[in-house]
Amino acid sequence: MTAKECRDGLGTDKKFFIKSRFAVCSGASFTQEWVQNNRPVGASTFGFLAIGTIAKGSRTMNVHFRYVGMEATGETGVATFMVTPDVTIPQKWPATAATQTGGSLPAAQSFAALKAQAEPGFQHNVTVSRGQGDKPDDTVFAVYQPSLKMRVGGGWKMSGALSGKPFFLAPRWDAAQYVSRNGGAAAFSYVVAMPFSTKAGAPERLAAQHIKDAYASPVSTKPVNSSKNIPGLSADRPLTRLYAKPRRDANRSEAVKVCKKYWGANYAQGGKECDEFPFSTTYEGAAQALTTYDPQHKAPKNNFSARPIPKADNGAGGRLMADFYRVNRILDGANDGFTIKVS
């Protein structure tokens, strides 16, 4: 991700911009008013960008910090205006996991010196070796916190913030073998959307239409449930990936029962398959309310949809889902999640 992509993505009011689960950025802007004899005589401003990237299959998170938009007008003391960056990792889960940091973390530099540089900034990186995370996927989560401190000398006075802590999306490391059979990799922790399309020509079109109906008109879908409310539309109520085969098979079995009940035992005639949503590969699938998986009977019953659709559409939807899981390193369980976006 370039600095321009980051600035364009942030616009004027966003705290962070997400290009993918492996390329994100955040930023902060700082404005100073310079004062002499109790009256303003000049102004200065600059932006501070943190651009995070992770190479494919890498366990190293790289962060390129850039100072941008450095401008000064009127009389200022920018030659004595010192800017000091810092990076901390205030929390890790588990706390015993060790992080290795690299790159450069420069000492204080003046505004004037930074402005004179062609591309003022620096790089920093963090790596976590495998074997230190929580089971079963060897996961490590961390808070990565960049910050700036500023001070002015030479008898100058100014107004404006003298420190700042730009928000930065948390990195995560894992070694889930069902995602990739190697030493694992890093990703940024945020809820990403799985895209489906109902447009003509989209190979998953009827699978996407099923999802769209399940959200837009849940009471019209089967099984009958007047209070059906399927998760997956928002980050605060995502879907979660299920890897264990027995429960995936149970989800599938419960969905097929619905297809047989409402469309008959021969529902597959004409080259159809029973499509279910939420997917059988999610904890929110059709079997979630079975006593085996919900002994306290807290899960909503019949909170899913099943219908016969052409085998080709169902297969295309399944391939889209599998690729999405792999490309975005979606992990099993509640520590990860995703939403659905139907176009």
Side-chain angles (χ1 to χ4, degrees):
M1 183 189 300
T2 66
K4 183 180 185 306
E5 281 183 288
C6 177
R7 294 180 76 176
D8 290 347
L10 291 174
T12 59
D13 58 353
K14 293 181 181 177
K15 289 185 177 181
F16 57 89
F17 166 63
I18 298 168
K19 185 176 180 179
S20 75
R21 256 194 164 190
F22 309 96
V24 304
C25 80
S26 61
S29 59
F30 301 91
T31 300
Q32 304 81 40
E33 184 180 70
W34 295 85
V35 178
Q36 283 186 337
N37 299 320
N38 296 319
R39 65 182 184 86
V41 294
S44 58
T45 185
F46 71 96
F48 183 58
L49 304 180
I51 305 169
T53 57
I54 300 168
K56 184 178 180 180
S58 174
R59 295 190 67 91
T60 298
M61 176 191 72
N62 294 289
V63 186
H64 188 184
F65 292 94
R66 289 286 306 276
Y67 297 96
V68 295
M70 305 192 78
E71 301 293 341
T73 58
E75 297 180 49
T76 69
V78 292
T80 68
F81 181 28
M82 307 303 291
V83 181
T84 307
D86 194 15
V87 173
T88 60
I89 302 175
Q91 285 186 288
K92 296 171 292 181
W93 298 271
T96 54
T99 57
Q100 297 87 46
T101 59
S104 61
L105 191 60
Q109 299 176 79
S110 73
F111 181 105
L114 289 168
K115 182 174 172 56
Q117 297 172 22
E119 290 188 350
F122 60 96
Q123 294 191 36
H124 190 254
N125 61 66
V126 182
T127 304
V128 174
S129 299
R130 64 177 301 177
Q132 303 183 78
D134 288 329
K135 303 300 181 184
D137 295 326
D138 193 16
T139 51
V140 176
F141 293 83
V143 175
Y144 183 84
Q145 182 59 73
S147 63
L148 284 183
K149 289 185 179 179
M150 293 157 272
R151 59 181 174 83
V152 63
W156 281 92
K157 292 182 179 180
M158 71 174 194
S159 62
L162 291 177
S163 64
K165 291 185 176 182
F167 173 82
F168 196 80
L169 284 166
R172 183 204 77 199
W173 293 262
D174 76 83
Q177 293 298 294
Y178 53 86
V179 177
S180 59
R181 296 187 179 278
N182 53 22
F188 290 105
S189 299
Y190 77 95
V191 177
V192 64
M194 184 186 297
F196 273 77
S197 175
T198 61
K199 296 178 181 178
E204 78 280 9
R205 185 177 67 84
L206 291 182
Q209 187 62 53
H210 183 193
I211 295 171
K212 186 175 182 179
D213 292 344
Y215 283 133
S217 182
V219 296
S220 70
T221 64
K222 302 296 186 285
V224 174
N225 177 1
S226 61
S227 58
K228 189 178 294 185
N229 186 6
I230 296 174
L233 281 178
S234 62
D236 60 352
R237 195 168 171 251
L239 295 172
T240 50
R241 182 182 181 181
L242 166 68
Y243 183 68
K245 188 176 185 301
R247 183 161 173 175
R248 296 202 318 261
D249 290 344
N251 281 338
R252 181 74 184 147
S253 177
E254 292 301 302
V256 168
K257 288 179 184 178
V258 170
C259 281
K260 289 181 176 179
K261 177 179 178 180
Y262 291 95
W263 285 273
N266 296 322
Y267 71 86
Q269 280 188 340
K272 293 183 177 181
E273 291 181 339
C274 186
D275 182 43
E276 71 275 10
F277 185 74
F279 314 117
S280 63
T281 57
T282 66
Y283 281 90
E284 296 74 26
Q288 67 169 326
L290 295 182
T291 301
T292 302
Y293 306 112
D294 181 36
Q296 297 181 339
H297 304 289
K298 292 184 177 180
K301 293 180 174 59
N302 293 328
N303 200 45
F304 67 96
S305 177
R307 69 169 58 158
I309 66 170
K311 181 178 179 179
D313 293 71
N314 194 35
R319 289 189 294 273
L320 186 156
M321 175 190 66
D323 287 345
F324 174 86
Y325 286 159
R326 175 182 54 81
V327 168
N328 290 283
R329 297 197 70 85
I330 302 296
L331 300 184
D332 173 279
N335 283 334
D336 208 350
F338 62 95
T339 57
I340 303 292
K341 182 178 181 180
V342 181
S343 61

